Amino acid sequence: MYDLAVEIFNGMPSWYLLGDPRYQFWLTHTPRGTAVDDPVKVGPKQNAKVSYTADAFSMYTHTGTHIDALNHFGLNGEVWNGFKADEHLGDQGWRKTGVERFPPIIARGVLIDVAGYKGVSLFPDSYSITPEDLKGALKKQAVTLQPGDVVLIRTGRMTVWPDGDRYILNQPGLGLAAAKWLADDMKVMVIGGDNLSLEHFPVERKDNWIPVHTFLLAQRGIPIIEVAYLEELAHDRVYEFAFIAASLKLRGASAAPFRPLALPLRK
């Protein structure tokens, strides 16, 4: 079994460059602090016998390995299925298309190791993956996509994790033409990558600063997985697998932490 999620920890790379909060973890109770404060009022004897540790965390929902809900990006005033923020976004989040609507995902998973196909450990900054890159990698891997697949694309960006600047800035990733090929021609169900944005940055277009997200989420209803750890799958050349994952059911949210597992179909 391969665990495709990264650990979540203080100081990890995230979208803090856009002003979103960093992950924060802190202890709310410790064995020594409990002995001093005695919050349960049981006295020193029981506090010496019972060790109590508890903690809390705060995070942007797009931190670490996560899945984007269909409300994350809209286009021309609407998210997927024509829902508008003025009608369906309240103070407690979206009343439609929240990440809690996603069921657990059990499907055939396919790794497309585009970096391996190109013979590099890591793509250059801002490299745009093309349909030809995807087709070439699949041919080399002797794998054919099928409708309903979960496709995970390796750029090699995880090789610099957790160096924040090297991981976050000028990311290589999926180009719009490649996204359209996967969605419209191959009819895959979910698309993910090992980088922070799935698509490359900066993009070539002048009229849309995040065209792959708006196309997949708002126009095709295809969820996006980001920050997937694909290095072990690529090292072992495991290109087809049973994909099993579920997200936290955060009502109305635009994303949630995600724990994907891959079980090889063949030895």
Side-chain angles (χ1 to χ4, degrees):
M1 183 179 66
Y2 294 82
D3 190 338
L4 309 184
V6 299
E7 292 183 358
I8 299 175
F9 55 92
N10 284 343
M12 68 185 295
S14 66
W15 281 116
Y16 54 83
L17 293 178
L18 299 185
D20 295 294
R22 292 176 181 258
Y23 174 76
Q24 291 293 319
F25 173 91
W26 63 96
L27 292 164
T28 59
H29 297 281
T30 64
R32 182 59 184 161
T34 299
V36 172
D37 293 339
D38 193 14
V40 191
K41 308 302 180 187
V42 295
K45 186 175 181 179
Q46 285 200 49
N47 285 325
K49 182 177 182 179
V50 178
S51 297
Y52 180 22
T53 298
D55 34 63
F57 68 90
S58 172
M59 64 187 289
Y60 177 46
T61 54
H62 298 261
T63 299
T65 309
H66 64 276
I67 188 167
D68 289 351
L70 302 183
N71 59 25
H72 182 35
F73 277 99
L75 196 62
N76 300 318
E78 296 179 347
V79 299
W80 172 248
N81 258 349
F83 296 123
K84 301 177 184 296
D86 286 348
E87 299 172 11
H88 301 289
L89 178 59
D91 289 341
Q92 304 300 315
W94 281 86
R95 302 181 72 176
K96 301 283 188 180
T97 70
V99 76
E100 81 281 2
R101 304 282 181 170
F102 285 164
I105 298 173
I106 302 174
R108 175 180 181 250
V110 174
L111 168 67
I112 306 182
D113 184 4
V114 190
Y117 163 66
K118 300 293 258 185
V120 298
S121 60
L122 170 65
F123 273 127
D125 283 358
S126 304
Y127 182 87
S128 177
I129 295 172
T130 66
E132 290 69 32
D133 291 334
L134 298 177
K135 294 174 186 177
L138 287 167
K139 182 177 180 180
K140 179 181 179 181
Q141 296 172 189
V143 174
T144 301
L145 293 180
Q146 300 173 9
D149 282 344
V150 172
V151 171
L152 302 176
I153 299 167
R154 179 177 176 267
T155 69
R157 199 67 165 185
M158 197 56 69
T159 60
V160 300
W161 178 272
D163 185 320
D165 289 344
R166 295 185 67 195
Y167 185 76
I168 297 170
L169 300 176
N170 300 315
Q171 298 175 55
L174 198 63
L176 183 58
K180 289 182 175 180
W181 180 74
L182 289 171
D184 294 341
D185 296 350
M186 296 296 100
K187 301 187 185 307
V188 304
M189 179 174 62
V190 179
I191 302 174
D194 60 354
N195 58 341
L196 189 59
S197 62
L198 181 66
E199 61 190 292
H200 68 96
F201 275 124
V203 301
E204 307 99 331
R205 295 180 59 163
K206 302 299 184 182
D207 63 327
N208 186 339
W209 65 275
I210 194 160
V212 170
H213 274 68
T214 54
F215 170 72
L216 292 178
L217 297 174
Q219 294 183 287
R220 293 297 182 268
I222 294 178
I224 292 171
I225 300 167
E226 292 162 322
V227 198
Y229 182 73
L230 306 177
E231 294 305 300
E232 292 179 351
L233 283 177
H235 178 271
D236 293 348
R237 299 182 182 180
V238 176
Y239 303 125
E240 299 174 82
F241 43 88
F243 179 94
I244 302 173
S247 57
L248 296 182
K249 299 173 77 170
L250 304 178
R251 183 179 296 176
S254 65
F258 202 55
R259 185 79 181 271
L261 303 176
L263 285 73
L265 298 176
R266 301 171 181 164
K267 292 185 178 180

